[in-house]
């Protein structure tokens, strides 16, 4: 582990630790399979999304996104963690002036950081950013850069900081041992879901910060999965929206887009796996998913604005009488 | 707090809207608040609390999937996510040799247990501030000195209060007694340890990061369930039972609650050099703005759970003080009294949850 040499943090025992292995998963093969989650949603049905803005008062804009899992089979009867839900916070620092040493920039400099919490996934993650997190940061920057009207903030910079408190999983954890199923095409499917979540939550935070955008961008994922039950056709592939990777034994291909719904534009696209001939269909599916999340996004933003105005109206009506006490006199 | 708009009639004195006053001259701003213009009402700080008033914590537990125990704590605008996660330290041979035969003894001296936990590094607390929680901590940099100080304070408090028992973290194995002498009980062997990773993530910081982190850590540890672990002879490895009824929670020693105070040194007026005028304030549970104007800070950790009389007899666990010399012996006595009061409030929140 690289963290062993980190002198600025508290380190784990140098010999390393291992995650607990549960006896029944080793000794009773049938038991393991009984825990396998299955998709209960229809192919075109998205998971429910919870979104809230303004969670970090000291930031200029912030948002929190949670997509709970639909399949929690038996969380009370076992200590084995069920499939995790997606929990992401985003916070915007800025726009603020660039340091004097920085070269002139005619438009807003966007910096995006994506970091997983150590407890975000089944395997504990370190504090130092790894390649996957950097990769996500770059993808997110691409998705956002085309949306922000950067010319309105010359010589300034803005930080978009994303913390993934809990991420989707690459596949069902029970399959991790036998590499046959997901090992064929690499795995890493969770990153697509996380990226879609990041795009949506960052977009909400940017609007919350009052940064001008051409449209509200949102993320969506679609995937092609192989249906194991369909035996009659050998290559039975199903296109689904908003896949939860743990619920599928084999994902053939997946695609995430950053989509501007009202302009019908795509700012970011990331496709993985063996798409075959139908790549357009997959992208279209992802945009459908993005349209689904932009609906939530717009509702939440509208609500936030309404609440703000209501607050303002309430304070201004009180202010007439309270105004004198509100001001603090400067003496001395 | 909303920004006030300009009023219709201009007052004669030099007057600013609140946010501008606070930004331009923070020190006089806070002092103007604390010197009450009218004697009827107690003077209030800029955040609407009195000098003695703490923020009531809000605690939510068990929201993280991949943790053995987790908590979300809100202290006003400071919010913290804390997750405790147990992993197995199996390679224990060298460590066990150094510690001697520790597995046998049931009741141990707390200091020995602390030694055991500390030398094996069974507790791994860490904080992360660079989550956009405050403009001062931008990700991409190494942990700031503030973050390093914070985590060192948390770790040292965790160890010095003897909060966790080493017996909760040991994984023991009692070999089956040999058929030759079935009466003889075999001694338990130490096969491994549970290592607790305690990760504290700040969602947002508005002052008093230490108290919030500690409350999050306490709440998470209180809810932590350690699975029953046993040594499997066939596989020669440590396995765990996934049955929640086999699992045990951590039996924590006491409930140490920290209370942080910031000392605000007011500027005395030149014309009246009377000493009786109160010009220093000890602000309970400072927010970010107050922390930026105050130099001296005191942190008092008390634990009243040992005594039967509730908040009447508490144990002073730790006093930290830095940055100035305003708080004298008498002042410190008052702060301890306030910390004991605070303990009662926080304890009520905790017991309301459990």
């Amino acid at each position: 582990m690289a963290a062993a040499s980190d002198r600025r943090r508290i380190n784990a025992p140098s010999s390393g630790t291992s995650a607990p292995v549960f006896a029944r998963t080793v000794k009773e093969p049938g038991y393991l399979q009984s825990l396998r989650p299955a998709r209960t949603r229809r192919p075109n049905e998205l998971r429910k999304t919870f979104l809230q803005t303004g969670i970090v008062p000291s930031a200029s804009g912030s948002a929190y996104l949670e997509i709970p899992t639909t399949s929690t089979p038996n969380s009370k009867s076992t200590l084995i963690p069920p499939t995790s839900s997606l929990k992401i916070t985003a916070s915007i620092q800025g726009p603020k002036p660039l340091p004097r040493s920085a070269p002139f920039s005619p438009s807003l400099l966007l910096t995006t950081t994506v970091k997983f919490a150590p407890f975000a996934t089944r395997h504990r993650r370190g504090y130092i950013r790894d390649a996957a997190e950097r990769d996500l940061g770059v993808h997110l920057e691409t998705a956002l850069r085309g949306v922000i009207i950067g010319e309105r903030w010359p010589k300034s910079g803005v930080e978009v900081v994303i913390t993934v408190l809990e991420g989707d999983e690459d596949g069902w954890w029970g399959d991790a041992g036998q590499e046959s199923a997901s090992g064929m095409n690499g795995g890493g499917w969770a990153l697509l879901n996380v990226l879609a979540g990041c795009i949506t939550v960052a977009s909400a935070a940017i609007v919350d910060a009052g940064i001008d955008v051409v449209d509200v961008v949102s993320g969506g994922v679609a995937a092609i999965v192989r249906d194991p039950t369909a035996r009659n056709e050998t290559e039975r592939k199903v296109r689904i929206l908003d896949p939860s990777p743990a619920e599928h034994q084999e994902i053939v291909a997946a695609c995430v887009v950053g989509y501007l719904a009202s302009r019908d534009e795509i700012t970011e696209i990331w496709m993985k796996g063996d798409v075959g001939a139908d790549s357009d269909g997959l992208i279209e599916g992802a945009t459908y998913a993005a349209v689904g999340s932009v609906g939530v996004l717009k509702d939440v933003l509208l609500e936030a604005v309404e609440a703000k105005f209501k607050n303002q109206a309430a304070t201004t009506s009180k202010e007439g009488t309270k105004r004198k006490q509100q001001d603090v006199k400067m003496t001395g | 707090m909303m920004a006030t708009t300009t009023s219709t009639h201009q007052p004669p004195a030099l007057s600013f809207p609140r946010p501008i006053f606070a930004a331009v001259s923070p020190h006089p701003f806070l002092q103007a608040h604390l010197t009450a213009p009218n004697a009827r009402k107690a003077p209030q700080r800029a955040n609407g609390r009195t000098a003695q008033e703490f923020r009531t914590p809000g605690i939510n537990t068990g929201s993280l999937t991949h943790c053995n125990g987790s908590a979300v704590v809100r202290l006003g605008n400071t919010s913290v996510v804390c997750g405790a996660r147990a992993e197995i330290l199996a390679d224990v041979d060298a460590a066990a040799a150094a510690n001697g035969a520790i597995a046998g003894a049931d009741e141990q001296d707390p200091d020995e247990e602390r030694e055991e936990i500390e030398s094996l590094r069974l507790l791994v607390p860490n904080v992360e501030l660079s989550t956009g929680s405050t403009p001062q901590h931008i990700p991409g940099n190494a942990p700031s000195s503030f973050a390093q100080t914070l985590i060192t304070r948390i770790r040292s408090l965790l160890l010095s209060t003897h909060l966790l028992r080493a017996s909760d973290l040991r994984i023991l194995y009692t070999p089956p007694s040999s058929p030759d002498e079935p009466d003889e009980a075999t001694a338990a062997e130490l096969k491994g340890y549970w290592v607790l990773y305690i990760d504290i993530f700040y969602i947002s910081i508005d002052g008093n990061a230490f108290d919030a982190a500690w409350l999050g850590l306490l709440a998470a540890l209180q809810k932590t369930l350690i699975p029953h672990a046993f040594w499997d002879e066939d596989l020669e490895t440590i396995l765990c039972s996934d049955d929640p009824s086999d699992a045990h929670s951590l039996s924590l020693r006491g409930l140490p609650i920290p209370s942080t105070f910031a000392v605000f040194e007011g500027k005395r007026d030149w014309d009246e050099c009377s000493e009786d005028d109160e010009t220093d304030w000890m602000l309970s549970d400072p927010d970010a703005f107050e922390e930026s104007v105050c130099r001296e800070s005191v942190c008092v950790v008390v634990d009243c759970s040992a005594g039967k009389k509730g908040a009447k007899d508490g144990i002073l666990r730790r006093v930290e003080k830095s940055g100035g010399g305003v708080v004298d012996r008498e002042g410190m006595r008052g702060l301890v009294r306030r910390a004991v009061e605070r303990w009662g409030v926080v304890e009520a929140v905790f017991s309301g949850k459990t």
Side-chain angles (χ1 to χ4, degrees):
Chain A
M1 239 191 228
S5 59
D6 192 348
R7 298 183 65 86
R8 296 192 186 89
R9 297 187 176 90
I10 311 287
N11 291 316
S14 49
S15 52
T17 58
S18 54
V21 178
F22 290 97
R24 287 183 74 184
T25 60
V26 182
K27 303 211 158 165
E28 304 169 34
Y31 179 65
L32 187 65
Q33 291 302 322
S34 77
L35 293 175
R36 180 185 283 280
R39 185 180 172 109
T40 48
R41 294 173 279 143
R42 289 191 305 276
N44 286 338
E45 194 179 345
L46 307 179
R47 287 174 289 182
K48 284 195 179 67
T49 312
F50 173 80
L51 188 68
Q52 194 189 354
T53 56
I55 55 155
V56 185
S58 58
S60 51
S62 58
Y64 170 74
L65 173 91
E66 183 172 338
I67 303 181
T69 69
T70 43
S71 52
T72 43
N74 39 6
S75 56
K76 284 288 168 282
S77 66
T78 174
L79 284 175
I80 301 173
T83 309
S84 55
S85 47
L86 196 62
K87 296 190 176 84
I88 307 179
T89 69
S91 121
I92 311 279
Q93 300 288 353
K96 55 190 170 198
L98 289 172
R100 297 183 74 87
S101 56
F104 173 77
S105 157
S107 66
L108 189 66
L109 274 187
L110 179 70
T111 317
T112 52
T113 318
V114 178
K115 183 81 197 84
F116 281 85
F119 42 71
T121 47
R122 206 163 284 268
H123 295 282
R124 214 185 106 83
R125 295 185 99 103
Y127 275 90
I128 297 168
R129 253 187 302 159
D130 62 13
E133 289 163 338
R134 268 169 239 237
D135 205 15
L136 279 178
V138 174
H139 277 292
L140 180 63
E141 194 193 331
T142 324
L144 298 179
R145 201 194 296 128
V147 185
I148 293 174
I149 309 174
E151 295 76 39
R152 299 197 180 160
W153 285 274
K155 300 184 278 181
S156 5
V158 66
E159 297 264 350
V160 180
V161 188
I162 308 273
T163 307
V164 183
L165 294 175
E166 220 172 87
D168 262 339
E169 297 182 67
D170 275 339
W172 184 53
W173 57 273
D175 287 336
Q178 58 257 34
E179 275 304 306
S180 56
S182 58
M184 290 292 284
N185 34 29
W189 303 110
L191 291 184
L192 301 178
N193 268 346
V194 171
L195 178 61
C198 287
I199 293 173
T200 309
V201 73
S203 173
I206 283 174
V207 175
D208 186 42
I211 298 174
D212 298 348
V213 287
V214 293
D215 189 12
V216 181
V217 67
S218 66
V221 188
I224 298 175
V225 295
R226 192 162 287 148
D227 193 354
T229 53
R231 280 274 165 263
N232 46 359
E233 288 165 73
T234 45
E235 287 274 290
R236 179 80 197 271
K237 291 177 182 172
V238 187
R239 189 191 75 180
I240 52 165
L241 303 189
D242 190 20
S244 175
E247 294 170 351
H248 304 286
Q249 266 184 18
E250 190 181 350
I251 298 178
V252 180
C255 171
V256 53
V257 295
Y259 183 62
L260 303 175
S262 54
R263 292 164 71 101
D264 192 23
E265 281 175 20
I266 289 176
T267 55
E268 155 74 17
I269 182 163
W270 184 10
M271 202 182 284
K272 257 176 97 103
D274 178 18
V275 189
D278 192 28
S279 62
D280 288 350
L282 191 60
I283 296 171
E284 209 178 316
T287 58
Y288 290 151
V291 169
S293 51
V294 88
V296 179
L297 197 57
K298 282 186 173 160
D299 282 352
V300 169
L301 294 173
L302 196 65
E303 240 168 64
V305 168
E306 274 172 1
K308 207 176 194 172
F309 275 114
K310 218 171 276 176
N311 254 338
Q312 225 162 39
T315 41
T316 39
S317 65
K318 261 195 285 178
E319 237 148 52
T321 53
K322 276 199 141 183
R323 165 80 182 147
K324 274 200 155 164
Q325 289 164 8
Q326 287 269 317
D327 265 10
V328 184
K329 286 226 171 76
M330 191 168 182
T331 53
Chain B
M1 225 165 272
M2 300 304 302
T4 53
T5 48
T6 48
S7 66
T8 45
H9 61 94
Q10 287 295 322
L14 180 60
S15 146
F16 294 112
R18 289 165 46 89
I20 295 177
F21 191 176
V24 169
S25 66
H27 196 277
F29 176 71
L30 191 52
Q31 185 159 10
H33 265 283
L34 287 168
T35 45
N38 50 345
R40 286 178 290 115
K41 233 169 59 181
Q44 279 189 341
R45 303 191 238 165
N47 47 28
R49 289 184 277 153
T50 62
Q52 317 253 335
E53 202 173 332
F54 286 89
R55 295 173 283 190
T56 314
I59 300 174
N60 239 314
T61 52
S63 40
L64 295 177
T65 314
H66 296 300
C67 287
N68 295 66
S70 62
V72 181
V73 168
R74 292 191 69 105
L75 206 60
N77 282 336
T78 303
S79 51
V80 164
V81 179
C82 177
R85 193 163 179 175
E87 292 202 348
I88 293 172
L89 173 69
D91 182 26
V92 84
D93 302 337
N99 269 277
I102 37 175
D106 275 342
E107 264 314 305
Q108 264 185 315
D109 186 34
D111 284 326
E112 275 175 37
E113 283 195 24
R114 177 194 166 167
E115 175 76 31
E116 189 179 343
I117 290 176
E118 191 172 2
S119 62
L120 290 171
R121 290 189 280 186
L122 299 184
L123 297 178
V124 191
N126 269 305
V127 292
E128 182 62 87
L129 295 145
S130 319
T131 55
S133 55
T134 149
Q136 281 89 44
H137 293 88
I138 291 299
N141 303 320
S144 61
S145 55
F146 177 69
Q148 292 178 47
T149 319
L150 191 62
I151 193 53
T152 311
R153 286 174 67 199
I154 289 170
R155 179 166 183 266
S156 93
L157 186 60
L158 196 58
L159 292 171
S160 72
T161 52
H162 309 296
L163 193 65
L164 284 129
R165 291 168 204 271
S167 56
D168 279 338
L169 301 176
R170 291 195 199 113
I171 299 169
L172 299 179
Y173 167 60
T174 317
S177 48
S178 55
D180 305 337
E181 26 196 336
D183 302 336
E184 200 169 316
T186 46
E189 285 174 40
L190 183 68
K191 284 298 183 186
Y193 280 103
W194 285 104
V195 173
L196 276 181
Y197 292 95
I198 304 164
D199 297 297
I200 300 164
F201 263 63
Y202 287 91
I203 301 298
S204 121
I205 299 184
D206 186 18
N208 209 353
F210 180 75
D211 284 13
W214 183 260
L215 293 182
L217 180 144
L218 263 188
L221 287 182
Q222 277 192 343
K223 289 288 175 185
T224 298
L225 267 184
I226 305 278
H228 171 65
F230 55 90
W231 176 259
D232 190 275
E233 282 184 312
D234 303 335
L235 297 171
E236 295 207 323
T237 179
I238 295 171
L239 294 181
C240 303
S241 155
D242 67 328
D243 190 354
S245 57
D246 286 348
H248 66 277
S249 52
L250 301 166
S251 54
L252 304 179
R253 282 198 187 92
L255 188 74
I257 303 289
S259 309
T260 302
F261 306 92
V263 180
F264 178 70
E265 297 171 61
K267 283 203 177 62
R268 289 170 175 81
D269 287 339
W270 287 111
D271 47 331
E272 44 159 323
C273 20
S274 53
E275 283 298 307
D276 53 75
D277 207 23
E278 189 191 25
T279 46
D280 299 323
W281 289 269
M282 289 156 206
L283 309 173
S284 303
D285 192 8
D287 64 15
F289 169 71
E290 287 157 358
E291 276 180 351
S292 68
V293 251
C294 299
R295 278 187 306 155
E296 187 174 352
S297 80
V298 182
C299 180
V300 180
V301 184
V302 292
D303 185 0
C304 308
S305 59
K308 297 286 173 287
K309 288 172 276 180
K312 284 293 181 288
D313 57 343
I315 306 170
L316 197 56
R317 286 296 194 180
R318 167 172 290 234
V319 176
E320 285 170 357
K321 182 173 154 339
S322 63
V326 172
V327 179
D328 52 1
R329 203 172 280 193
E330 195 48 51
M332 188 60 90
R333 206 164 281 153
L335 292 188
V336 171
R337 220 171 291 129
R338 277 155 75 173
V340 169
E341 266 171 44
R342 169 71 169 167
W343 186 90
V345 175
V346 176
E347 199 268 341
V349 174
F350 269 102
S351 56
K353 291 301 295 179
T354 46

